[in-house]
Amino acid sequence: MSILFVLAASLFAAPLFFLVSKLKKSVAYMAYAAFQVLVFLYVFFWGGTGSSYEVVGITSKLNFNFSMTSVNWFFASIVMLIISTTAVFMFPLKKSPVKVFLLSLVTAGALGAVFSADFLTLMIFWEISTWSSLLLIIQDKEKSTGEAIKYAAIAAVGSYSMLFAIFYMDSRLGTVEFSSVALKIESQPIGVQLTIFIALAIMVLAKMGSFPLHTWLRGSHSSAPDEFSPILSGGLTKLGGFLLFIMSIALPSFKGFGNLPILNGIPIVNYGFALLGGISIVVGTVMAIRMEDAKELIAFSTVSNSGYIVLALSIGGTYATAGGMMHILNHALASAAMFMAIAAVAYRTRTTKMHEMGGLIVKMPVTFAVYLVAIISVAGIPPTSGFVSKWLIYQQLVENGLPFLAFAAFFGSIGSFMYVFKPLAGIFLGQLKPEHEKVREAPLIMLAPMTLLTLLTIFWGVFPSNAIRSINRITESIGGGTVDVTFSRIVALTGEWDSVLVTTVFAIGFAISLLIFIRAKRARKVDLLDNYTGGDFLYTAELYHFSYRMYRPFDRLFEKWPSMENWLSSTSEKIKELGALLKAVFFNRNPQVYIALTVIVILGAFWWLR
Amino acid sequence: MFMNIVITILSGIALLVVAFIFTVTLEGIARKIEARIQRRYGPPFWQNFIDIFKSLTKYSISHGFIFDFGILMALGGTIATVFFIPAGSLAVFPGIDNVFVVIYLLAIGLLGMAMSAVGSGNPNASIGIGRALAQMLGYELPFMIVILGVFFHHGTSSLSDLVSIQIAQGAYNVWLMPIGGVVAFVSLIGMLGKKPFDTFIAPAEIASGPLVEYSGKYLGMLMIQHAFATFIEIGLFVNLFLGGGRTLWEFLLKFLIVYFSIVIISATIPRFRVEQAIKFYWKWPLILSFVQVIIVVFVMGRR
């Protein structure tokens, strides 16, 4: 067995699942889930053992190069973990032959992309997955076509920019392979390096949904089928992280841009790129706080967390690189878990608007627990894996003395309390709405993958050394520094902490408070309408749950801020008006005119290219 | 090895007891001070002990599982954080008491409290929590920026190391970075929820906000939690900027001075609206914190 076999199998499986699904949908979905789980297990257990390199020749000059190194293994495991858990999770949801076909293609594309060893292969497989995800987004909901077009437009910006970079690399260096690009690029003039870096950086920003190319995430997530959002946010945006990491190996920007001005030990190009990440954190956080739809809110939290990854990987250095990689891992886990929890709620209640729900904790306690752990991780609170990555990134920010980037990082971290708490309060706490009296817990097959992600989040929070050792192996293989870890301690330049100790101490604190709680008199249980009301009587539960515009005073601060979405949509209106004007002036009803024009253009082109 | 563990456990217990008795006493005296400023007589200084122990023995009502669990999380997380604050010579985990761990571990308590309060189903509590979280984004930012400068200058983010460095060099951080010290002090007022930054409690508007539904043992546990949180926040400031202490008594004396100065300030200032508070923090404290950290990074450099 090899990479090629897995890839070919997953490509050919797609039409097969489609045909099976025409006959019996549940069989196709079961086969799909089983296949993804098998691929994940295979990648995870086989990939750790060694490295390999495989080439598929298409023509004499064009090859597909695949490799299996620790980097590929890390990203492939994360992406496949998210896809395989989601594949199990989606079983009770609405099934259709087209969806299972597209989902398999998305998987095959993502898998090919993370195993690629050259930029062209990466791009081709990445595009397979992007185009399938475009079609997937418009499957379920009506308003989604416009949102998918937005996604297509922004994805195109990234793709053309990367295509340009690939052609440019090929013409300048004669190769697009990661390893040989890394060897040859150092002798190139600074302008060439800069062009390639910026062109690839645009692709990263577009695909990760990072500022200024973040506008597609909100619409795509809110209109995508519920089972696809975890894959999109947890899996596919992490491909941007893969390219970013490859860029830091293949284009050794620290050496290359060393002649340019350096700020606090960081070349100005990387600093600028990190600043974009920082802006992305702030914009994502502020927008997430203002959303009223749970899926839109998590989409903006993805913007913010992509910003963290961009920031960390572009400032480089031992701790930020390790922190960025760790953040890719834990954001994949947490955002997938959050989207799954929301999908489970939407499966039972048919809505994702937070203010239309409330008090679901009594009906869906396991979903609540999953969501709670996921948000603790997003907010970066120990003992979950979210704290580990933030701690490592902060170490680098302190080490280099970067107050402005640190401002963004702190803003995102503290602001995340606000936005992650909003769905928790709106959906799960407060009074139950009367129409949700009969809601039940999500089915077991949905709960199992969610619980797995939750346990992994806690596992890597208590034993981060396990994940950091894998990351150390990656950074060692590319000649970077490693983070000192023992079983429970992580040591950085400006201090150390002990994850097991923190967890133990928290358990002790919890035990002490439990002791006080039990020793005191038992409380009388009252319902949620038995409240202090200043003397009024309460009859309507649905009116008493305060969650709509929970942060109104905070919103008011940002009301006058320029909105990129408004700006973009008014620009598109202007373009439409221009088109209407041109149509009014130049439109001709005679088909002959168009044929004549076409012929003239073809003749002209022929003459020019002759 | 075994002796080390025993010593750690004993010093942990000692720290908890000291933190509890000292902070609750100070809170009692603070009520007296505030009363005298307002020309009242005020309760005796042991009134807060009476309040806590009395409410722990009273009957109470519960609004369901999350109402109980959130309280346990709040008190548990806060007690856990206390162990990471070195109090002069009484340091439980020297070397691994990282400031980021303290700040984020304290957040567990906050999240637990928020969950429990909103779980009570009272809109006053939800409004209070919304205000508290929003205001947190105000005061934490300048504070974090300033302590970034502290860590950069000293090359460590361990509390006990920072204390020993300050004692060894004989100059406290508040002398080295006076602007940062002032900013951190202003942030500390917000952290403690003292006036003018007490919008989220605001008894007259939202019936004490998050606390509105608590009674009996719940209220007692929250009072204990509040005492420990006060200890952590002021302890953090004293250790970071005032050089902690060579002995426990020196630390407690500095603690007392910081606490009473905040009490006196807050007794004389009326309350901000929540967006005014955020705007305030994002204006002068934030600008000054950037000024300070730029001075530290580009002028003072590393120690």
Side-chain angles (χ1 to χ4, degrees):
Chain A
M1 291 250 272
S2 65
I3 311 164
L4 287 180
F5 179 78
V6 177
L7 267 182
S10 55
L11 270 177
F12 285 116
L16 196 70
F17 289 142
F18 179 73
L19 291 177
V20 175
S21 175
K22 282 279 184 195
L23 299 172
K24 187 91 181 128
K25 280 182 204 155
S26 52
V27 174
Y29 268 72
M30 243 186 268
Y32 171 72
F35 183 75
Q36 305 311 342
V37 172
L38 278 180
V39 171
F40 166 69
L41 291 175
Y42 178 62
V43 167
F44 186 70
F45 287 107
W46 160 76
T49 53
S51 64
S52 64
Y53 195 92
E54 288 166 36
V55 181
V56 190
I58 305 295
T59 64
S60 59
K61 249 206 106 192
L62 186 64
N63 289 325
F64 282 153
N65 298 292
F66 297 103
S67 67
M68 183 66 176
T69 59
S70 45
V71 183
N72 299 99
W73 173 76
F74 182 77
F75 281 93
S77 304
I78 292 176
V79 170
M80 281 317 298
L81 173 67
I82 301 304
I83 292 182
S84 56
T85 44
T86 318
V88 177
F89 172 83
M90 69 178 65
F91 196 73
L93 295 170
K94 204 177 118 199
K95 304 180 183 70
S96 85
V98 183
K99 269 205 258 181
V100 73
F101 174 68
L102 291 170
L103 281 168
S104 324
L105 273 187
V106 165
T107 315
L111 206 55
V114 286
F115 279 131
S116 58
D118 69 75
F119 285 105
L120 189 65
T121 315
L122 172 62
M123 163 121 193
I124 289 172
F125 279 92
W126 203 347
E127 288 303 299
I128 292 179
S129 116
T130 305
W131 285 97
S132 336
S133 57
L134 268 175
L135 294 176
L136 251 174
I137 287 173
I138 57 174
Q139 289 302 314
D140 266 5
K141 293 176 191 161
E142 288 191 353
K143 65 161 185 170
S144 51
T145 320
E147 304 299 344
I149 290 172
K150 265 188 216 163
Y151 179 19
I154 290 176
V157 171
S159 304
Y160 285 124
S161 152
M162 182 165 176
L163 199 62
F164 169 76
I166 288 172
F167 286 152
Y168 196 63
M169 251 187 267
D170 192 49
S171 75
R172 282 287 176 157
L173 312 171
T175 176
V176 290
E177 251 179 284
F178 296 154
S179 48
S180 35
V181 166
L183 290 177
K184 289 182 183 170
I185 197 149
E186 281 180 41
S187 55
Q188 293 291 319
I190 191 91
V192 177
Q193 294 188 27
L194 203 58
T195 313
I196 296 175
F197 181 85
I198 291 175
L200 290 178
I202 290 175
M203 178 71 164
V204 171
L205 295 178
K207 287 301 164 72
M208 290 192 80
S210 195
F211 182 85
L213 298 172
H214 64 283
T215 39
W216 60 274
L217 270 174
R218 173 194 193 168
S220 305
H221 275 302
S222 64
S223 58
D226 289 340
E227 68 269 31
F228 183 57
S229 294
I231 297 182
L232 186 60
S233 171
L236 298 186
T237 56
K238 301 298 168 282
L239 294 181
F242 177 66
L243 177 60
L244 191 54
F245 189 73
I246 293 296
M247 274 164 69
S248 68
I249 310 171
L251 316 168
S253 46
F254 272 83
K255 264 183 272 166
F257 303 144
N259 300 330
L260 297 174
I262 290 182
L263 277 169
N264 297 74
I266 294 171
I268 195 155
V269 182
N270 296 45
Y271 197 92
F273 197 35
L275 269 184
L276 282 184
I279 296 174
S280 176
I281 296 176
V282 174
V283 169
T285 307
V286 169
M287 289 306 287
I289 291 170
R290 305 176 67 187
M291 291 297 113
E292 295 300 333
D293 181 299
K295 286 182 85 177
E296 289 183 5
L297 186 148
I298 307 173
F300 275 114
S301 105
T302 306
V303 173
S304 162
N305 282 287
S306 298
Y308 268 100
I309 296 166
V310 170
L311 189 152
L313 289 181
S314 56
I315 60 177
T318 309
Y319 298 100
T321 309
M325 297 293 267
M326 188 74 198
H327 203 77
I328 290 176
L329 171 66
N330 71 49
H331 182 249
L333 295 173
S335 78
M338 275 159 85
F339 269 121
M340 283 183 190
I342 300 299
V345 168
Y347 173 65
R348 289 301 193 200
T349 61
R350 306 274 150 225
T351 178
T352 54
K353 294 257 184 302
M354 288 177 277
H355 55 89
E356 290 173 3
M357 292 178 270
L360 284 174
I361 178 174
V362 283
K363 302 289 176 188
M364 310 178 82
V366 182
T367 314
F368 168 77
V370 168
Y371 184 79
L372 179 64
V373 173
I375 67 163
I376 289 180
S377 178
V378 167
I381 297 176
T384 56
S385 58
F387 178 67
V388 183
S389 63
K390 283 196 176 146
W391 192 78
L392 284 169
I393 295 172
Y394 292 163
Q395 293 305 312
Q396 194 75 47
L397 291 171
V398 169
E399 182 54 29
N400 287 28
L402 301 164
F404 296 104
L405 296 178
F407 168 77
F410 295 146
F411 191 98
S413 171
I414 303 158
S416 66
F417 285 107
M418 289 176 77
Y419 65 72
V420 296
F421 190 71
K422 203 172 175 181
L424 187 85
I427 297 176
F428 294 105
L429 303 180
Q431 285 85 356
L432 191 69
K433 297 267 186 284
E435 64 263 34
H436 295 149
E437 277 309 331
K438 293 213 172 65
V439 166
R440 281 174 296 137
E441 178 60 278
L444 195 63
I445 195 148
M446 285 175 126
L447 295 180
M450 277 156 54
T451 315
L452 176 71
L453 291 179
T454 306
L455 292 179
L456 284 176
T457 304
I458 296 175
F459 171 73
W460 279 313
V462 181
F463 303 106
S465 51
N466 178 287
I468 289 177
R469 285 213 180 93
S470 303
I471 295 168
N472 275 345
R473 228 177 30 238
I474 297 171
T475 45
E476 238 169 24
S477 71
I478 60 163
T482 56
V483 180
D484 281 343
V485 282
T486 61
F487 171 69
S488 62
R489 280 192 191 196
I490 306 176
V491 186
L493 291 166
T494 68
E496 56 181 305
W497 72 291
D498 189 320
S499 52
V500 177
L501 178 79
V502 169
T503 317
T504 318
V505 169
F506 176 60
I508 292 171
F510 196 85
I512 295 174
S513 57
L514 190 64
L515 197 70
I516 300 176
F517 189 81
I518 292 174
R519 290 297 298 161
K521 275 201 188 89
R522 228 182 138 75
R524 188 165 59 87
K525 193 123 191 246
V526 296
D527 70 1
L528 288 178
L529 282 180
D530 194 349
N531 257 252
Y532 167 78
T533 57
D536 264 323
F537 291 95
L538 293 181
Y539 302 106
T540 41
E542 61 273 25
L543 297 178
Y544 208 55
H545 179 37
F546 174 80
S547 73
Y548 185 65
R549 299 208 162 178
M550 189 170 173
Y551 301 116
R552 186 68 188 126
F554 186 81
D555 278 0
R556 275 203 289 263
L557 290 175
F558 291 94
E559 240 163 19
K560 300 236 169 72
W561 276 35
S563 154
M564 191 147 166
E565 288 175 11
N566 291 350
W567 182 78
L568 281 175
S569 50
S570 66
T571 312
S572 86
E573 285 301 319
K574 289 286 171 299
I575 293 173
K576 271 184 208 160
E577 281 169 20
L578 185 69
L581 180 72
L582 291 178
K583 194 175 165 189
V585 176
F586 296 108
F587 183 68
N588 198 317
R589 285 191 178 280
N590 275 334
Q592 294 95 317
V593 178
Y594 296 102
I595 293 170
L597 277 176
T598 316
V599 170
I600 290 169
V601 167
I602 289 173
L603 282 177
F606 183 74
W607 176 80
W608 187 54
L609 294 172
R610 148 183 68 96
Chain B
M1 182 67 192
F2 179 71
M3 273 313 285
N4 282 346
I5 293 176
V6 171
I7 289 171
T8 308
I9 292 173
L10 286 180
S11 56
I13 295 170
L15 184 64
L16 267 191
V17 173
V18 167
F20 179 70
I21 294 176
F22 186 67
T23 321
V24 176
T25 313
L26 286 197
E27 279 176 345
I29 302 174
R31 280 171 78 171
K32 195 89 179 166
I33 292 177
E34 202 168 336
R36 301 320 301 237
I37 290 174
Q38 295 164 349
R39 309 232 169 133
R40 290 184 284 119
Y41 185 72
F45 76 88
W46 58 86
Q47 183 63 43
N48 276 36
F49 287 102
I50 299 175
D51 288 352
I52 289 173
F53 290 115
K54 211 171 171 185
S55 54
L56 281 178
T57 57
K58 291 281 176 187
Y59 287 105
S60 51
I61 58 162
S62 161
H63 283 288
F65 170 73
I66 203 66
F67 190 75
D68 303 354
F69 181 77
I71 288 287
L72 294 178
M73 213 168 123
L75 185 55
T78 315
I79 289 177
T81 321
V82 171
F83 294 122
F84 289 95
I85 299 287
S89 49
L90 189 59
V92 185
F93 301 117
I96 46 178
D97 40 7
N98 201 284
V99 177
F100 290 119
V101 174
V102 171
I103 289 172
Y104 280 90
L105 203 55
L106 188 59
I108 294 188
L110 193 88
L111 186 67
M113 166 110 191
M115 243 165 41
S116 167
V118 176
S120 72
N122 194 319
N124 285 320
S126 304
I127 294 170
I129 292 297
R131 289 179 178 190
L133 291 174
Q135 184 172 309
M136 189 163 105
L137 192 52
Y139 62 73
E140 285 277 0
L141 277 176
F143 186 75
M144 296 288 265
I145 303 282
V146 166
I147 62 174
L148 178 95
V150 173
F151 300 156
F152 177 81
H153 182 67
H154 295 294
T156 177
S157 52
S158 154
L159 270 177
S160 46
D161 288 357
L162 282 168
V163 168
S164 52
I165 288 172
Q166 288 180 68
I167 289 174
Q169 72 185 11
Y172 298 153
N173 281 332
V174 78
W175 306 129
L176 291 176
M177 311 168 190
I179 308 175
V182 172
V183 170
F185 184 76
V186 175
S187 292
L188 186 64
I189 302 178
M191 244 183 247
L192 291 170
K194 293 278 183 193
K195 275 176 199 165
F197 307 111
D198 67 336
T199 45
F200 57 93
I201 299 170
E205 307 167 26
I206 50 172
S208 298
L211 298 174
V212 61
E213 282 299 313
Y214 294 103
S215 58
K217 64 176 173 183
Y218 296 88
L219 196 59
M221 286 170 78
L222 276 183
M223 284 178 191
I224 300 173
Q225 190 264 350
H226 185 255
F228 282 136
T230 307
F231 180 80
I232 292 161
E233 283 150 1
I234 298 181
L236 206 56
F237 180 80
V238 168
N239 281 320
L240 281 172
F241 290 96
L242 297 177
R246 287 173 199 81
T247 60
L248 178 63
W249 304 112
E250 190 186 339
F251 173 82
L252 294 182
L253 182 69
K254 287 172 182 169
F255 187 105
L256 184 142
I257 293 168
V258 172
Y259 186 66
F260 283 157
S261 41
I262 288 178
V263 166
I264 291 168
I265 290 171
S266 80
T268 45
I269 303 181
R271 180 186 307 138
F272 271 142
R273 255 195 351 251
V274 63
E275 68 257 45
Q276 286 171 333
I278 300 172
K279 261 188 194 160
F280 168 77
Y281 274 119
W282 285 357
K283 208 184 238 167
W284 293 112
L286 195 61
I287 292 171
L288 289 177
S289 69
F290 273 120
V291 168
Q292 178 65 72
V293 80
I294 284 169
I295 292 174
V296 169
V297 172
F298 293 102
V299 181
M300 288 164 72
R302 271 172 229 279
R303 191 172 55 91

